[in-house]
Amino acid sequence: LVSGSGTTAYHILRQTMKGGVLHGQVEIACLIASKDGIGAIGKFGQAQFKDAMYVCDPKESGSDFGHKLVGIMIQEEADLFGQYGWLPQTPEEVINAYFGINQHPAPVPFFGGTGMYGLAPHQAIINFARAAKRPTPIMTAATAQLVHPEYDKGQIIAEIPLEFNPEWTAEELQSRLLPLEWQCQTMALLRIAA
């Protein structure tokens, strides 16, 4: 499930290909985007992803959003789902029917919740570090957690810490943490596959 550029989803796709650490252990059944024209769709198309790609916009689907998502997952014979930059709140119909993994770019639940996506969690942890004036090292983390009906309340299943300088900008922190997010989500899938 994606809503943006799809860098993490694309990383996972590449890891499922021959030579990748997920090859033979994880197969991507489909890509579901929350809106049309996003980077993730383009990346999967360029990678010649031969399986299904869907756009399931929560605004257009209304109260049927959860049923549409579950219907797609049943049709594509999915066993679980991953949220990689997925912004809509996942409907309970989906959470009740499928095991899901959520990507988050900061320690949860402390730097999670409503509105904590994009640069917001990075800026929040930088602001906290500056205000608290704690001695170094100051840590953040790439997190993989179970999907929960409330934003970022799911159990943590993988986490990779990163020491950071509170003088960094949110953009600097985001760019340094992103490769760890990819590793963290891959680690979570390897654990589930095992």
Side-chain angles (χ1 to χ4, degrees):
L1 303 177
V2 293
S3 294
S5 65
T7 58
T8 301
Y10 180 70
H11 172 80
I12 290 168
L13 173 65
R14 296 203 27 100
Q15 293 304 311
T16 64
M17 296 176 176
K18 190 172 183 174
V21 297
L22 296 172
H23 182 70
Q25 298 185 62
V26 174
E27 180 183 342
I28 298 176
C30 65
L31 179 78
I32 304 173
S34 65
K35 54 189 169 185
D36 203 3
I38 61 172
I41 295 170
K43 283 181 176 68
F44 272 59
Q46 288 174 350
Q48 299 179 343
F49 180 67
K50 303 219 183 319
D51 294 312
M53 289 196 276
Y54 298 89
V55 174
C56 191
D57 187 329
K59 293 176 185 165
E60 293 175 10
S61 302
S63 62
D64 291 336
F65 184 50
H67 296 295
K68 285 184 177 184
L69 289 172
V70 170
I72 292 168
M73 292 179 193
I74 289 170
Q75 179 181 321
E76 297 302 329
E77 300 179 350
D79 296 316
L80 60 94
F81 66 96
Q83 298 184 160
Y84 306 115
W86 177 250
L87 295 179
Q89 189 157 20
T90 304
E92 288 200 40
E93 298 95 330
V94 178
I95 297 168
N96 292 337
Y98 288 94
F99 176 84
I101 304 168
N102 182 56
Q103 170 187 5
H104 192 71
V108 291
F110 312 109
F111 296 97
T114 303
M116 294 299 271
Y117 60 88
L119 292 174
H122 302 298
Q123 191 62 59
I125 202 164
I126 288 169
N127 291 348
F128 173 79
R130 289 175 182 169
K133 298 180 182 174
R134 301 272 169 96
T136 57
I138 300 171
M139 305 297 279
T140 188
T143 306
Q145 64 183 136
L146 297 180
V147 176
H148 188 276
E150 295 179 58
Y151 287 123
D152 302 318
K153 298 280 183 159
Q155 177 184 346
I156 296 169
I157 54 176
E159 194 171 52
I160 299 177
L162 172 70
E163 186 176 323
F164 74 96
N165 183 332
E167 297 308 312
W168 290 353
T169 65
E171 291 84 0
E172 286 174 300
L173 182 53
Q174 181 183 52
S175 70
R176 292 177 191 229
L177 189 65
L178 187 58
L180 298 181
E181 290 185 65
W182 300 340
Q183 291 174 25
C184 185
Q185 299 311 309
T186 302
M187 181 190 312
L189 287 168
L190 285 169
R191 288 178 177 172
I192 291 165

